């Protein structure tokens, strides 16, 4: 998992509009074809964050840059994107979301720590 260098100016408000657009996650299988499906995360600010992308092309570029093409593929979030992303964040045990990470520069469009609602 890539280490992301935190930068204050890359963090913005987690607003509904940002997640209204279709999002792509990177689906990955750790340990072979029959392994459990999970989603690619990055480490930042001492926590794990789910990687999400606004286009399939950005997701594919990240897969290539990270060298995980043999076990990863972009997958499109359908339906209520905001609800689905929050659900996946909880499922994988991430603490937030990073959108449009460029692994080569470690820059992202925005990121946000999510707090699970009880």
């Amino acid at each position: 998992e890539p280490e992301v260098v935190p930068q204050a100016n890359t963090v913005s408000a987690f607003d509904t509009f940002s997640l209204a657009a279709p999002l792509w996650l990177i689906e990955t299988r750790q340990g072979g074809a029959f392994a459990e499906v999970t989603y690619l995360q990055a480490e930042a600010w001492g926590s794990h964050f789910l990687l999400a992308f606004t286009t399939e092309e950005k997701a594919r570029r990240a897969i290539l840059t990270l060298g995980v093409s043999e076990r990863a593929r972009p997958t499109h979030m359908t339906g209520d994107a905001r609800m689905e992303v929050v659900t996946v964040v909880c499922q994988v045990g991430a603490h937030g979301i990073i959108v449009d990470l460029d692994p080569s520069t470690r820059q992202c469009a925005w990121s946000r720590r999510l707090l699970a609602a009880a």
Side-chain angles (χ1 to χ4, degrees):
E1 295 172 347
E3 173 70 32
V4 178
V5 177
Q7 293 198 335
N9 65 353
T10 61
V11 179
S12 74
F14 183 79
D15 60 48
T16 311
F17 180 75
S18 300
L19 287 181
L23 285 178
W24 297 81
L25 301 181
I26 296 177
E27 192 177 279
T28 180
R29 292 178 186 271
Q30 305 280 359
F34 299 104
E36 190 177 330
V37 171
T38 186
Y39 296 94
L40 204 60
Q41 299 176 60
E43 193 174 314
W45 307 284
S47 300
H48 287 264
F49 285 73
L50 179 70
L51 294 178
F53 300 86
T54 52
T55 68
E56 184 179 10
E57 174 58 32
K58 288 178 182 177
R60 288 193 184 284
R61 203 170 326 135
I63 288 170
L64 287 172
T65 306
L66 294 169
V68 294
S69 20
E70 73 285 347
R71 61 181 172 87
R73 67 182 183 92
T75 183
H76 190 238
M77 294 281 97
T78 56
D80 181 348
R82 184 168 203 258
M83 197 64 228
E84 288 197 35
V85 168
V86 170
T87 300
V88 171
V89 164
C90 292
Q91 282 175 346
V92 300
H95 293 109
I97 182 173
I98 293 176
V99 177
D100 287 344
L101 174 70
D102 179 347
S104 58
T105 64
R106 296 182 176 178
Q107 298 293 307
C108 64
W110 61 272
S111 60
R112 175 66 185 204
R113 189 178 292 271
L114 298 181
L115 302 175

